[in-house]
Amino acid sequence: MTLKGPSLEFALPKELEAHAPPEARGLSRDGVRLMVSYRQGDRLVHARFRDLPEFLREGDVLVINTSGTLPAALPAFREDGSELRLHLSTRLPGGVWTVELRRLEDGATKPYGGGEAGETLRLPGGASVTLLARHRMEEAGKAGSRLWVASFSLPEPYAPDPLPYLLEHGKPIRYGYVAGEWPLEFYQTVYATEPGSAEMPSAGRAFTPEVLTRLLARGVLVVPLLLHTGVASLESHEPPYEEFYRVPPVTAQAVSQARAEGRRVLAVGTTVVRALETVADPLGRVHPGEGWTRLLVTPERGVRAVDGILTGWHEPKATHLAMLEAIAGRRHLEAAYQAALEHRYLWHEFGDLHLVLP
């Protein structure tokens, strides 16, 4: 297994994919494995997530994403009766959504390139969705996106709020590497407060009330922000789509003060990095704000607001690897991923975790 190329290419063996939640493997949430990697000296430590407080110190600021996961997958039927899967991605201003159509294949789903502007698909419970136009990828300067901008027609008593409808008829988005269906609570973090993510901000899944209590007792400051994640781009490695974020004043102040005093700011997940970097000025001061971000964090841009990150293990060529390289550096990232492969860490949202520290 080798790491190579400008986009950190490597072979991910199928047996290193987490096919089920840790609870189904006889583990607690905080029983998954944790690699702690220190950029200075490329030192690697192998632990369990429940050991996290031992690696943090008084004065650290830990920033979490409190977005909750939606049951964002629905069966959808074309006029000819053929069945697809509809994945909701992001709710846009004006009440429209970006959505993805997927075809069924061998018990899983694959990207579906069909669909026509103006087409209406039937949904469960008397609802329907109309495809309005292909979503335009402004960063790439093209309209060839696999996502659609779509509008929903929901019957009473659901309209106009789609959340009750999704809770009754939707299921969590599941990709082919996950064996079987799992209830929505398996896709939620313990600190989720506001539903809105198409897929779980999975870096925070292993937190338990006990771990959070120990962190607070250690003097670690835990502060929230919100970023609603859209659908992942596992197949095509596209840049992230625009996502809604909200950085409250208390979090902006805590991060800015920590950086001014030389204390560490650690992000729980790539979503937190994206939100903080969106509102950080060139001097690293973080300002409160909310809106839509299209920011892509790369080594060339660098990071301004964070010193480290807790994250999962990302697929070969995934755009998140560019963000991790911006935080950790290429050499250190290669060393950590090589060790993760050799020590049989598990990938994906139900897998193991990686804490990058200075």
Side-chain angles (χ1 to χ4, degrees), residues 105-117:
E105 183 178 303
D106 299 328
T109 64
K110 301 289 184 181
Y112 177 71
E116 299 179 1

Side-chain angles (χ1 to χ4, degrees), residues 249-268:
V250 64
T251 298
Q253 180 180 355
V255 171
S256 295
Q257 185 172 345
R259 294 192 61 80
E261 296 174 357
R263 293 183 283 115
R264 301 186 301 187
V265 176
L266 308 173
V268 177

Side-chain angles (χ1 to χ4, degrees), residues 100-103 105 109-114 146 234-236:
E100 180 187 16
L101 293 177
R102 297 178 69 87
R103 56 187 172 85
E105 183 178 303
T109 64
K110 301 289 184 181
Y112 177 71
R146 64 195 168 93
L234 300 178
E235 298 87 2
S236 51

Side-chain angles (χ1 to χ4, degrees), residues 1-5 8-11 330 333-339 341:
M1 302 174 188
T2 59
L3 305 176
K4 60 184 179 178
L8 198 64
E9 300 178 25
F10 57 95
R330 177 59 180 260
L333 197 61
E334 287 180 346
Y337 268 71
Q338 188 68 57
L341 292 168

